[in-house]
Amino acid sequence: MSIIDQIIEHPDKTFLFVGSACLIVTAFVLWFLFYVRGRGRDDTDLTDGAVLILADGMVHQASPGAIDLFGNCVGQPVVRVLDEFLLGDDATEARDAVNRLEMTGDPLDMLIHNSEGKPFELIGNPSGALIRLVVRDARLLDDRLRDAEERLSAADSALNQHEWAQETLSGLIQDAPIIAWHRQSNGNIDWSGGEIKTRSGSVFADQAVDLIVARTKLNRNPILAGQPQKSRIEIVVNEGAESVSLHVIEIVRQDGSRIGFATDAGTAASAERTLTRFVQTMTETFAHLTVGLAIFDRNQTLALFNPALVQMWQVEPAWLARRPSLRDIIDELRATRRLPELQDFHKWRTRLIDLFENTEAADYEELWHLADGSNIRVLARPHPHGSLAFIFDDVTERMRLEQRYRHSIDLRRATLDRLTEGIAVFGANGLLQFVNQAFHEIWGTDNETVYAAMHARQLVTLCEDMTVETEVWHRLHSYITGEENRRAWTARLTMGPGRVLTARFAPLPDGSTMAVFADITDSERISLALNDRNEALEMADAMRATVLEQVSYRLKTPLSTALNHAQNIGRIEDLDAETGKLASDIIDATEKALDAMTELTDLTTHPVGPPDGRFGDCDLTEILGYCVRVLQGRADQAGIELVLGDMSQAGTFTCDFSRLRQIAFNLIAEAVDTAMPNGKIDVSGKSHGEAYEISAMVEVGPNLMPASDQGEDPRVMALVQQLVVDAGGTFQTENIDGQRVLVTCKFTPSRPNIGVADPVEPTDEDDAENVHTLRPVR
């Protein structure tokens, strides 16, 4: 066997040999240098560098070089000379060496450094009874010594490293779970060792190597030298136990021999089986997902997809099963119009493909609006081993629901903003969630003073300063932040002089609280005015009753007396014809006056309220004619032409005679009051079965047009309207030509009216509003 082969086969011996050789060479060089210098000198020569001749510890002679180096030191103790010239440690060492030379005669040769740190060689030898010291420049020698020390240190370090490496490899093979071997190209085993202990049992080196050799013989593929071969083997250690997986690595050397090792691959095999089961589970799970899933490997080819993706893309599953690339899929989807319409398609496609340049940092998310109206949310996220996972989620229905929800929210918000009541909604956490515009108008605030997420405590403090009542706000604060089972409640608030609010606080289903504020200042004023008016009407009614009583007493009594006297005159037997005729005329006139007085009194004292149940046959022509005749004088005094118009369609029907005559009388009386001077009133009526209507065409002029035409809100014939509504009829006003108003009162049998309604007794609460008396006829 050659030396090179021996070095390769026994590297430990090689390192020992090299280290020993280096030490021997270094020692020889040092000996040679000192020996040659010592043999080549004359001990009595004063010309060899800086030479000092010592006698009894004193400098006896000094060469010119020594004088240049130490100064004039003749006659001085050599110890002092060395102490002044050398460094502290080197001076001590040199002094000791010179003392030994003087006492024992042992020569000295040492490397010293002066006070400036320069290296010098100190050589001492006995010369008869004298001692000769030589000091020379030793920079070259110092450098050689340093190199020798470095080489020696490197050799020693290499030797130690080899020992450590040998000890480490030996310990690994002996104690670690590893099997190693060296075999020849023909399969013969040169060396093997190691053991791997597993739960199924121990695997020894010979078992593993025999199986590896057998598998190698079956492999006919050529193997390149220096290329590692990795494989996985399964070994059954004990019968009935699980097989043991080993990870094997072999390296083929130039001569065909192989070195290799095997480690326990049980954990990796178990992880691979777990991963395989996980992939199968995930594949089955993906098959039932409603979102599309596509996983592309590092080569941008489709590795996995689910059925939802096939349905979403509308492509053939067989084509996807052939694992097309991402570029091919994009082009196919563009051809089938399953991609959004893009201005720069090629730039967009390049951006998708560039995601594979750094899959770990891939973070793609985009919403695709397709031509068929559907919306696909696409996400790309990193996947293990450089892959990318694309997720396709059809969010069309979700977006529609969101749009409807947002539209509903906006519609509700707009509706609340257009209400006249101020609304504020507080969340269960006490924060303000919503206020409408009417709230700002009522309280005089804006979006800066009252804003979303404002705490109820701040808003309560703000509103409390504006109202007289304070206990309401303390209760509201506790109500907003209170527990469940809350009940709605109302309150009345006074904002300074003349402003009145009503407030209603109610819980909402999610624990929120809604506060509703309404400004009822105008309603309060109207209510006060109505109360004053009712009081005035009551006083006028009492006055009217007194006046009518006086009129009845002062007119009916004289008329009754005159009637009695006329009747007594008519009973005289010897009364001549002319006097009898006068008595008869007086009787007729008096009776007519009494009848007219009685009817007028009954008509003006009838209350406005429900029918009194006195039904009978009513002739519409007779009732309207009577009212026209009674009010004719009043119309003449006002210069108004009052006529009874077309009555061709009027007939007889059953109704409350007194109520109908009351409505007709007040209708014509109101018409006379509202007609313009020198105007005309045309009264007419018609009936069909039990349905009938009364109308009056009144010339009122442009200043008294109804609200629908003038933009105002006058109460046109308010009393008549109230009478008609209470009787179950309808009251209508119509602008004819800007000068005339047609007032129509209709009564139909399909709804309660004065002909068919049952008597209704007013309640205590409604007496003040539903029962009125007619105003006095002017």
Side-chain angles (χ1 to χ4, degrees):
M1 182 179 294
S2 64
I3 297 176
I4 296 176
D5 291 337
Q6 292 179 0
I7 292 174
I8 293 175
E9 293 297 331
H10 304 285
D12 51 347
K13 297 181 179 179
T14 301
F15 279 107
L16 290 175
F17 174 77
V18 172
S20 301
C22 290
L23 291 174
I24 294 172
V25 170
T26 303
F28 176 76
V29 169
L30 293 176
W31 175 84
F32 178 77
L33 289 175
F34 289 121
Y35 178 78
V36 171
R37 289 188 177 185
R39 293 293 300 270
R41 286 195 304 268
D42 186 2
D43 292 341
T44 61
D45 188 6
L46 299 178
T47 62
D48 188 10
V51 180
L52 296 176
I53 302 298
L54 307 179
D56 298 330
M58 305 294 289
V59 178
H60 182 66
Q61 292 182 354
S63 68
I67 295 173
D68 293 337
L69 188 62
F70 301 111
N72 189 6
C73 56
V74 177
Q76 295 184 9
V78 69
V79 175
R80 179 185 300 175
V81 174
L82 293 178
D83 287 343
E84 293 177 353
F85 177 72
L86 301 178
L87 293 175
D89 292 341
D90 286 355
T92 301
E93 186 178 354
R95 184 172 59 248
D96 295 340
V98 171
N99 290 333
R100 286 195 302 272
L101 176 60
E102 289 180 345
M103 294 177 65
T104 62
D106 293 336
L108 65 89
D109 191 348
M110 59 185 302
L111 187 66
I112 58 176
H113 296 81
N114 67 354
S115 58
E116 296 177 357
K118 294 181 180 180
F120 290 88
E121 183 181 5
L122 179 61
I123 303 172
N125 292 295
S127 177
L130 301 178
I131 294 176
R132 184 174 185 271
L133 290 180
V134 181
V135 179
R136 293 180 179 178
D137 187 357
R139 282 178 291 181
L140 179 61
L141 178 62
D142 185 64
D143 292 339
R144 290 178 179 177
L145 286 175
R146 291 179 184 275
D147 292 341
E149 289 176 354
E150 290 177 359
R151 288 194 298 272
L152 183 62
S153 175
D156 185 63
S157 175
L159 181 61
N160 291 335
Q161 288 182 359
H162 174 72
E163 292 177 353
W164 295 336
Q166 185 177 11
E167 183 179 356
T168 301
L169 292 175
S170 176
L172 283 175
I173 295 175
Q174 181 178 357
D175 300 328
I178 188 173
I179 294 175
W181 63 89
H182 181 280
R183 64 189 179 100
Q184 300 177 3
S185 58
N186 58 5
N188 295 332
I189 304 301
D190 295 329
W191 173 86
S192 65
E195 177 185 1
I196 298 176
K197 297 180 179 180
T198 65
R199 290 180 299 178
S200 300
S202 297
V203 179
F204 298 98
D206 54 350
Q207 294 177 297
V209 173
D210 291 342
L211 181 58
I212 293 169
V213 171
R215 293 186 60 180
T216 304
K217 293 180 178 179
L218 296 176
N219 186 8
R220 303 298 182 181
N221 297 325
I223 301 174
L224 298 178
Q227 182 177 2
Q229 274 190 312
K230 299 180 181 179
S231 61
R232 179 79 61 77
I233 62 174
E234 299 284 338
I235 296 179
V236 178
V237 179
N238 297 319
E239 245 182 81
E242 293 184 1
S243 60
V244 177
S245 297
L246 298 181
H247 185 63
V248 178
I249 296 179
E250 270 196 326
I251 299 175
V252 180
R253 309 179 75 180
Q254 294 294 338
D255 58 353
S257 62
R258 302 188 183 196
I259 57 175
F261 65 92
T263 57
D264 185 5
T267 303
S270 177
E272 290 175 357
R273 289 192 294 269
T274 303
L275 179 61
T276 302
R277 289 194 299 268
F278 175 76
V279 171
Q280 292 175 351
T281 303
M282 294 300 294
T283 303
E284 295 176 359
T285 303
F286 293 154
H288 296 87
L289 289 179
T290 57
V291 298
L293 177 66
I295 298 178
F296 294 86
D297 59 19
R298 66 180 64 186
N299 298 321
Q300 302 180 18
T301 58
L302 184 63
L304 178 66
F305 65 92
N306 64 342
L309 187 70
V310 177
Q311 183 178 1
M312 188 179 300
W313 282 355
Q314 299 179 5
V315 295
E316 291 294 332
W319 182 73
L320 293 177
R322 290 197 291 269
R323 302 186 63 187
S325 65
L326 178 60
R327 179 184 294 272
D328 295 338
I329 292 176
I330 292 176
D331 293 339
E332 178 67 20
L333 294 179
R334 185 189 184 192
T336 57
R337 301 193 67 185
R338 300 302 298 170
L339 289 179
E341 299 295 336
L342 302 168
Q343 294 181 353
D344 192 344
F345 169 77
H346 298 286
K347 182 178 179 181
W348 178 82
R349 182 179 61 184
T350 302
R351 183 162 64 93
L352 279 180
I353 296 176
D354 288 346
L355 294 175
F356 286 90
E357 294 182 359
N358 187 6
T359 56
E360 296 297 330
D363 187 11
Y364 171 82
E365 182 173 352
E366 191 174 6
L367 185 63
W368 291 1
H369 302 282
L370 305 187
D372 60 356
S374 58
N375 298 282
I376 309 298
R377 181 169 172 261
V378 184
L379 295 91
R381 294 292 184 267
H383 202 66
H385 309 298
S387 303
L388 272 182
F390 284 83
I391 301 173
F392 301 85
D393 188 9
D394 190 346
V395 296
T396 306
E397 189 62 28
R398 188 186 312 165
M399 292 183 64
R400 289 176 182 173
L401 292 176
E402 289 179 358
Q403 290 174 355
R404 292 176 185 174
Y405 175 75
R406 291 175 183 172
H407 176 71
S408 175
I409 294 297
D410 293 341
L411 180 62
R412 294 179 183 178
R413 185 179 295 272
T415 302
L416 294 176
D417 278 336
R418 283 163 175 77
L419 292 177
T420 58
E421 293 84 0
I423 297 177
V425 178
F426 300 90
N429 55 359
L431 299 181
L432 183 64
Q433 294 181 341
F434 171 79
V435 290
N436 64 348
Q437 187 61 33
F439 181 92
H440 294 308
E441 294 174 356
I442 291 174
W443 293 99
T445 58
D446 53 27
N447 291 328
E448 294 183 359
T449 55
V450 177
Y451 50 88
M454 180 181 187
H455 198 273
R457 179 173 51 257
Q458 298 173 269
L459 184 61
V460 164
T461 303
L462 178 65
C463 296
E464 184 179 2
D465 297 337
M466 302 183 189
T467 59
V468 177
E469 296 80 6
T470 57
E471 66 279 357
V472 174
W473 302 108
H474 296 299
R475 180 181 177 186
L476 174 61
H477 184 267
S478 301
Y479 183 76
I480 293 173
T481 59
E483 301 295 332
E484 298 180 356
N485 300 325
R486 299 177 299 165
R487 294 184 179 180
W489 55 286
T490 58
R492 181 186 178 91
L493 301 172
T494 305
M495 295 181 62
R499 286 202 65 191
V500 181
L501 303 179
T502 59
R504 178 175 177 80
F505 308 102
L508 296 179
D510 60 347
S512 303
T513 303
M514 180 177 67
V516 182
F517 302 93
D519 190 343
I520 60 171
T521 304
D522 295 337
S523 300
E524 287 289 316
R525 292 173 182 172
I526 293 173
S527 177
L528 293 174
L530 289 177
N531 291 333
D532 294 341
R533 182 176 180 274
N534 287 337
E535 292 178 0
L537 289 176
E538 290 177 0
M539 294 176 62
D541 185 63
M543 185 181 296
R544 182 186 62 183
T546 303
V547 171
L548 289 176
E549 182 179 358
Q550 292 295 325
V551 169
S552 175
Y553 173 74
R554 295 188 179 186
L555 290 179
K556 285 186 177 182
T557 301
L559 287 176
S560 299
T561 302
L563 178 61
N564 290 332
H565 290 323
Q567 289 176 349
N568 291 332
I569 293 174
R571 295 190 186 97
I572 299 175
E573 295 180 357
D574 297 338
L575 191 62
D576 58 86
E578 183 177 359
T579 302
K581 185 176 181 306
L582 290 173
S584 178
D585 292 339
I586 292 172
I587 292 172
D588 291 340
T590 303
E591 288 179 350
K592 290 181 179 180
L594 287 172
D595 291 340
M597 183 63 65
T598 301
E599 291 177 356
L600 182 60
T601 303
D602 293 341
L603 186 63
T604 56
T605 57
H606 191 81
V608 180
D612 56 8
R614 295 179 295 177
F615 299 102
D617 293 335
C618 299
D619 188 343
L620 189 57
T621 303
E622 178 182 352
I623 294 174
L624 294 182
Y626 169 78
C627 294
V628 168
R629 289 194 304 272
V630 172
L631 296 171
Q632 187 67 56
R634 184 174 176 180
D636 293 341
Q637 291 178 1
I640 298 172
E641 182 183 357
L642 177 61
V643 298
L644 184 63
D646 183 16
M647 300 295 296
S648 60
Q649 298 182 11
T652 303
F653 46 86
T654 303
C655 71
D656 186 344
F657 175 80
S658 62
R659 177 59 59 86
L660 177 58
R661 189 169 63 175
Q662 180 190 32
I663 292 174
F665 180 84
N666 281 276
L667 174 62
I668 300 172
E670 290 279 3
V672 172
D673 290 343
T674 57
M676 66 179 181
N678 299 321
K680 181 181 179 180
I681 300 174
D682 189 351
V683 181
S684 62
K686 60 182 178 180
S687 63
H688 180 72
E690 295 298 329
Y692 56 92
E693 66 179 46
I694 303 171
S695 60
M697 182 73 72
V698 186
E699 293 184 5
V700 297
N703 294 330
L704 293 175
M705 284 291 105
S708 59
D709 298 301
Q710 295 298 325
E712 303 173 357
D713 192 18
R715 298 291 293 173
V716 180
M717 297 186 179
L719 183 59
V720 179
Q721 183 177 355
Q722 183 65 40
L723 290 171
V724 173
V725 173
D726 290 344
T730 58
F731 180 85
Q732 297 177 350
T733 60
E734 180 180 0
N735 182 9
I736 301 302
D737 52 11
Q739 297 289 335
R740 297 179 299 168
V741 173
L742 177 61
V743 183
T744 306
C745 305
K746 294 182 179 181
F747 302 92
T748 60
S750 60
R751 56 183 297 174
N753 53 51
I754 60 175
V756 298
D758 296 330
V760 178
E761 294 296 332
T763 61
D764 295 338
E765 297 178 355
D766 299 333
D767 285 344
E769 297 181 359
N770 298 332
V771 179
H772 304 276
T773 56
L774 294 176
R775 62 181 180 180
V777 178
R778 292 177 292 176

